[in-house]
Amino acid sequence: MSRVEEFERLRPLLFSIAYRILGSVTEAEDAVQETWLRYDLSATRPESARAFLSATVTRISIDVLRSARVRREEYVGPWFPEPLLADPYQDPEHSAQLADSLSMASLLLRERLSPLERAVFVLREVFAFGFPEIASAVGRSEAACRQLAVRARRHMSAGRPRFEADHREREQLAERFFAASKEGNVDGLRDLLAADVRMIVDSGGKAPQWAGGIFGVEEMCRMHDALLLPFLGIGGAMEPRQVNGQPGAVFRDGDGRVVNTWTLDILDGRNQAIRTVTNPDKLGHMSSVADAWALLRQAQQARRAMGLPALTYPITAQDPVQQADQEN
């Protein structure tokens, strides 16, 4: 088997390792590409391509994560991982660990870990690497890696949320939720929302964002009437999908460009939280990205043409077109 063939066989594993460490599709893809360059340029062929490549992509990811932490500290508003619609790596023996480690909640929990703790946790708890392999990958002794693994497990266990155990029940509730949303069935929505439901938006300051987040059933229903229904009314589409292994949806404009994603946290038969990513920088890997501000203006125009009152939505960022008009 040639180096190219060996690398392509292992590419899904390498991407999955990098994504779980970095929480970024684009950074994970870059880490995998850098791994290939180092593999291609190495003078000798390693005894185990899997061990060499896994160690290389892990070390690259740790370096990227250390520099990314500075940028994330300066990030505007809540930070969420880049949404992933499908994990390229599948392993039936570790399917439960793979699925759990992909969720938004798990990825956000790993933000609390140091880069080394995160790398050790991912390699050990998700991909079941042995400690000799992990030690080689992160450049620490086996004893140190065992201690890192213990600390990482303790931090992860302390903050781990409880999710509905029955996968099919979660899927059925999500189907009902999205059906009620499309139909404008507000009473149906109320039945599916927890009393303290919340919607948290990652816009990075580059897309419309509801000021302070959305909290409670009535505020969710107001958002539904003020933003979601007008969006659907101008040709927007809500596409139910698995997002990071959870029930969710991808929203697209009339031309199929992605607007944002939702992921649902479901527990005890109710939707507890919606995490939505609207930052266009985090959506480009999925397809071309829509102009969310332009969609808001279109919805306003459509409502005015129908004689309806203007939309009311307390948005934290400012429409760049309106800002340019004010400056001129």
Side-chain angles (χ1 to χ4, degrees), residues 1-11 36 39-40 45:
M1 184 180 296
S2 68
R3 286 198 184 197
V4 172
E5 292 171 331
E6 187 71 25
F7 181 83
E8 290 303 322
R9 183 179 69 85
L10 292 166
R11 180 188 288 271
W36 159 249
Y39 185 47
D40 186 43
R45 193 162 182 175

Side-chain angles (χ1 to χ4, degrees), residues 214 220 244:
I214 301 171
M220 285 289 295
N244 285 84

Side-chain angles (χ1 to χ4, degrees), residues 28-76:
E29 289 174 342
D30 289 345
V32 171
Q33 183 60 27
E34 177 64 24
T35 299
W36 159 249
L37 293 176
R38 295 187 187 185
Y39 185 47
D40 186 43
L41 293 174
S42 60
T44 59
R45 193 162 182 175
E47 182 177 340
S48 169
R50 181 180 183 274
F52 176 86
L53 293 170
S54 298
T56 302
V57 81
T58 297
R59 287 193 289 268
I60 292 170
S61 298
I62 290 172
D63 290 341
V64 172
L65 183 60
R66 284 170 172 156
S67 62
R69 284 203 157 188
V70 176
R71 298 195 302 273
R72 291 178 188 178
E73 289 173 359
E74 300 172 350
Y75 196 80
V76 178

Side-chain angles (χ1 to χ4, degrees), residues 15 31 40 59 79 88 114 130 133 139 166 193 198 288 303 309 324:
F15 173 85
D40 186 43
R59 287 193 289 268
W79 181 93
S114 71
E133 293 176 286
D166 190 318
L193 297 172
R198 66 194 188 280
S288 57
R303 290 179 69 87

Side-chain angles (χ1 to χ4, degrees), residues 5-158:
E5 292 171 331
E6 187 71 25
F7 181 83
E8 290 303 322
R9 183 179 69 85
L10 292 166
R11 180 188 288 271
L13 170 64
L14 303 178
F15 173 85
S16 293
I17 291 172
Y19 177 78
R20 284 167 171 82
I21 294 174
L22 294 167
S24 166
V25 173
T26 51
E27 289 177 347
E29 289 174 342
D30 289 345
V32 171
Q33 183 60 27
E34 177 64 24
T35 299
W36 159 249
L37 293 176
R38 295 187 187 185
Y39 185 47
D40 186 43
L41 293 174
S42 60
T44 59
R45 193 162 182 175
E47 182 177 340
S48 169
R50 181 180 183 274
F52 176 86
L53 293 170
S54 298
T56 302
V57 81
T58 297
R59 287 193 289 268
I60 292 170
S61 298
I62 290 172
D63 290 341
V64 172
L65 183 60
R66 284 170 172 156
S67 62
R69 284 203 157 188
V70 176
R71 298 195 302 273
R72 291 178 188 178
E73 289 173 359
E74 300 172 350
Y75 196 80
V76 178
W79 181 93
F80 292 155
E82 289 183 12
L84 185 67
L85 300 184
D87 186 1
Y89 179 73
Q90 301 295 324
D91 182 353
E93 292 186 7
H94 303 101
S95 58
Q97 297 95 313
L98 288 169
D100 177 70
S101 66
L102 197 62
S103 72
M104 282 282 184
S106 292
L107 288 164
L108 288 171
L109 272 179
R110 288 201 288 278
E111 285 293 303
R112 304 178 183 181
L113 306 181
S114 71
L116 281 177
E117 287 173 341
R118 194 185 306 195
V120 170
F121 181 87
V122 167
L123 292 177
R124 181 62 180 174
E125 301 299 321
V126 181
F127 295 97
F129 278 61
F131 280 108
E133 293 176 286
I134 296 172
S136 174
V138 303
R140 295 292 188 274
S141 68
E142 289 186 39
C145 289
R146 292 179 187 277
Q147 288 299 314
L148 288 166
V150 169
R151 289 203 300 269
R153 281 197 298 269
R154 184 167 60 244
H155 288 309
M156 292 293 290
S157 297

Side-chain angles (χ1 to χ4, degrees), residues 156-183:
M156 292 293 290
S157 297
R160 187 176 299 278
R162 297 180 302 116
F163 291 112
E164 190 71 59
D166 190 318
H167 177 79
R168 182 54 190 159
E169 186 175 344
R170 286 192 296 135
E171 293 300 319
Q172 289 174 344
L173 188 144
E175 289 172 7
R176 291 165 56 202
F177 175 81
F178 289 123
S181 297
K182 289 180 180 180
E183 295 165 3

